[in-house]
Amino acid sequence: MECRIIAVGTELILGLTTDTNSPYIARILVENGISSQQHQVVPDDVDEIAHAILDGLQHSDALIITGGLGPTFDDVTREALSKAVKRELVFDPKLAEIIKERFPHDKPMPEFILRQAYLPEGAIPISPTLGTAPGIILEIEDKTIFALPGVPDEMKVMLKDKVIPFLRKRVREKAILIKVIKTCDISEASLQERIEDIIAKYENLNIKILVHLEEVHILLMAEGDIKAVEELISNVKDEIADRLGKLVYGFDEDTLEKVVGKLLRKHELKLAVAESCTGGLLSNRFTNIPGSSDYFWAGIIPYSTEVKKELIRVPSQVLLEHGAVSSFTAQAMADGARLIVGADIGLGITGIAGPTHWEKPVGLTFIALSTKTTRFCKRFIFTGSREVIKFKTSQQALNLLRLFLLERFEEGEVS
């Protein structure tokens, strides 16, 4: 099955907003054995959208349109859909009642909200999820058009709950399957060198190496009989993971903070972080995960020298002799974070994110770890903008903690 994705929005054309919907939809489609060879972005214009729909119907089995389904004057996807398929817009009273229910009850509801209850004749509505915009399913002969809201959270719910189950019924024995192996602490070139014999061995498997900030991913993709493809990808995934060992931190939707969080929860460990140059980024990454309060005990941002001394208990002599950016200070921060809140593990981070440098170079960073029995600190020199250096630092802190947890608690070296 071939599917085309159409993102509607003048703001996307002008570069004022990034189209995150199309890559997300493409990924979910591929995971469900559905190909999407083309993504298209069109402005909020009835004729432009209608033209994209007609073109898409000629070359695809299904269209997924996102955006332009809201209540305001510039939301014209439903009018464009009506024009493209030559079906009148018809008011759906049941859908109107659902929209009224979805509107916040503590505010007066403008009447124009109900223009969202007009659908092309014969269309099936998808009830609004987080907002008031409904989705639309419209079948044209042997093809299907799905129109979904542009707000990512609303779109994602409808895509997974309605669109994918609908399309899956039409995808039979053959499928495209994808698996992502995620690594860190290794370069793209070194990674390829480590696995190039495996890549050469599987000619019927599409293997790509994708570089991300402080990570390298290996994408495995194959098409064919579902069982055969599942077995092939599983075997190659295992072979690569065995070869790379701890360089692989996870698969598919895993993130470093999720993986570290699972390890902390598994071993009932509590973490406290004192981060200076990252300004709370590491704490933010941990606390973005639901349930992280099980193991994330505290995040402290002792940004000034005075707060490092007074709040996090970095000795004045350490600051005077070695400076705020030093291994001694990072270690004292890790110790202080752990002891102040009674955590099992403390992390201390200090560095120079730039662009202004002082006596020490931009990018110089120290990350320290502290437990009752272990203390160590690693020195890094990162390059890039201020934001990039902050992210690289948080990434290395997570990986340092991951490796420590694997070696200490997974391999049973120390109780």
Side-chain angles (χ1 to χ4, degrees):
M1 172 177 285
E2 177 64 36
C3 188
R4 180 178 292 192
I5 301 167
I6 300 173
V8 175
T10 301
E11 71 280 9
L12 303 175
I13 297 285
L14 297 177
L16 301 175
T17 303
T18 301
D19 174 25
T20 59
N21 283 348
S22 297
Y24 178 84
I25 294 169
R27 172 63 187 271
I28 297 297
L29 289 174
V30 167
E31 288 177 354
N32 285 276
I34 303 161
S35 173
S36 63
Q37 296 296 330
Q38 190 172 77
H39 306 174
Q40 189 174 1
V41 180
V42 294
D44 297 303
D45 179 273
V46 171
D47 291 334
E48 294 270 7
I49 302 168
H51 177 75
I53 291 170
L54 289 172
D55 186 62
L57 287 173
Q58 287 183 358
H59 300 95
S60 309
D61 302 302
L63 303 182
I64 298 179
I65 307 167
T66 64
L69 288 180
T72 56
F73 66 90
D74 57 340
D75 291 311
V76 294
T77 295
R78 62 176 62 78
E79 285 80 3
L81 191 53
S82 168
K83 183 173 183 176
V85 301
K86 295 184 172 56
R87 293 191 188 180
E88 294 293 323
L89 289 174
V90 179
F91 185 73
D92 184 332
K94 290 184 180 177
L95 180 58
E97 290 303 314
I98 295 172
I99 292 171
K100 287 178 185 175
E101 275 299 308
R102 296 293 308 169
F103 195 83
H105 291 175
D106 59 342
K107 296 178 182 175
M109 189 188 80
E111 275 302 309
F112 66 80
I113 290 290
L114 294 181
R115 69 183 287 258
Q116 298 172 112
Y118 283 88
L119 304 176
E121 191 175 5
I124 302 168
I126 303 174
S127 293
T129 53
L130 304 177
T132 60
I136 299 171
I137 301 175
L138 184 60
E139 294 195 82
I140 306 295
E141 298 178 352
D142 60 340
K143 311 217 172 173
T144 310
I145 302 171
F146 303 92
L148 308 178
V151 176
D153 287 344
E154 296 179 42
M155 179 277 296
K156 288 177 181 177
V157 174
M158 292 187 189
L159 180 73
K160 288 190 172 179
D161 290 352
K162 301 295 181 182
V163 178
I164 295 301
F166 192 102
L167 293 175
R168 284 286 297 169
K169 292 177 183 174
R170 302 188 176 189
V171 179
R172 299 188 186 281
E173 291 79 11
K174 288 201 171 181
I176 301 170
L177 294 184
I178 187 169
K179 172 68 72 179
V180 180
I181 303 171
K182 296 185 173 180
T183 73
C184 58
D185 217 18
I186 185 170
S187 71
E188 177 188 17
S190 297
L191 181 63
Q192 177 169 321
E193 189 176 49
R194 296 276 292 267
I195 64 169
E196 56 188 359
D197 61 317
I198 300 176
I199 294 175
K201 198 164 57 175
Y202 294 97
E203 293 180 349
N204 54 343
L205 185 65
N206 191 351
I207 303 179
K208 293 186 180 298
I209 295 178
L210 308 174
V211 180
H212 299 264
L213 195 57
E214 289 295 288
E215 293 189 11
V216 182
H217 298 176
I218 304 164
L219 185 145
L220 311 177
M221 187 165 66
E223 181 176 5
D225 175 80
I226 289 178
K227 288 185 178 177
V229 167
E230 283 179 342
E231 184 177 351
L232 173 64
I233 285 188
S234 176
N235 290 340
V236 179
K237 185 260 294 183
D238 290 344
E239 189 171 351
I240 291 176
D242 287 344
R243 175 77 60 84
L244 297 178
K246 292 177 192 168
L247 292 170
V248 174
Y249 79 78
F251 305 93
D252 298 326
E253 301 300 321
D254 285 340
T255 62
L256 261 178
E257 50 268 42
K258 279 186 185 176
V259 170
V260 171
K262 286 178 183 175
L263 288 169
L264 290 168
R265 179 182 282 116
K266 178 180 176 182
H267 296 287
E268 299 180 346
L269 296 167
K270 299 175 180 60
L271 173 70
V273 172
E275 46 181 329
S276 180
C277 71
T278 41
L281 177 59
L282 182 59
S283 300
N284 183 53
R285 291 180 66 177
F286 271 117
T287 54
N288 281 337
I289 303 169
S292 55
S293 58
D294 289 350
Y295 48 82
F296 188 75
W297 228 230
I300 305 166
I301 311 172
Y303 213 62
S304 72
T305 301
E306 287 73 19
V307 174
K308 285 181 177 68
K309 190 167 52 181
E310 299 298 328
L311 181 64
I312 209 72
R313 301 177 188 170
V314 178
S316 299
Q317 192 173 354
V318 167
L319 292 166
L320 189 64
E321 291 183 2
H322 304 285
V325 179
S326 67
S327 62
F328 297 93
T329 296
Q331 192 65 71
M333 289 169 65
D335 294 339
R338 178 175 63 83
L339 293 169
I340 286 171
V341 301
D344 301 297
I345 301 173
L347 281 181
I349 301 172
T350 183
I352 302 171
T356 306
H357 69 85
W358 302 96
E359 306 86 34
K360 296 174 183 175
V362 170
L364 175 66
T365 303
F366 295 92
I367 304 173
L369 185 145
S370 166
T371 72
K372 281 183 182 178
T373 57
T374 301
R375 296 173 81 244
F376 66 86
C377 181
K378 290 193 71 172
R379 176 184 184 273
F380 300 88
I381 290 282
F382 298 118
T383 57
S385 67
R386 184 176 179 85
E387 289 75 20
V388 167
I389 288 174
K390 288 171 68 176
F391 181 81
K392 287 180 175 179
T393 302
S394 71
Q395 191 81 348
Q396 285 295 339
L398 286 167
N399 195 45
L400 181 146
L401 179 54
R402 180 182 72 95
L403 294 174
F404 171 78
L405 293 170
L406 288 176
E407 291 166 6
R408 280 299 175 91
F409 296 95
E410 292 288 295
E411 297 173 3
E413 292 181 8
V414 176
S415 61

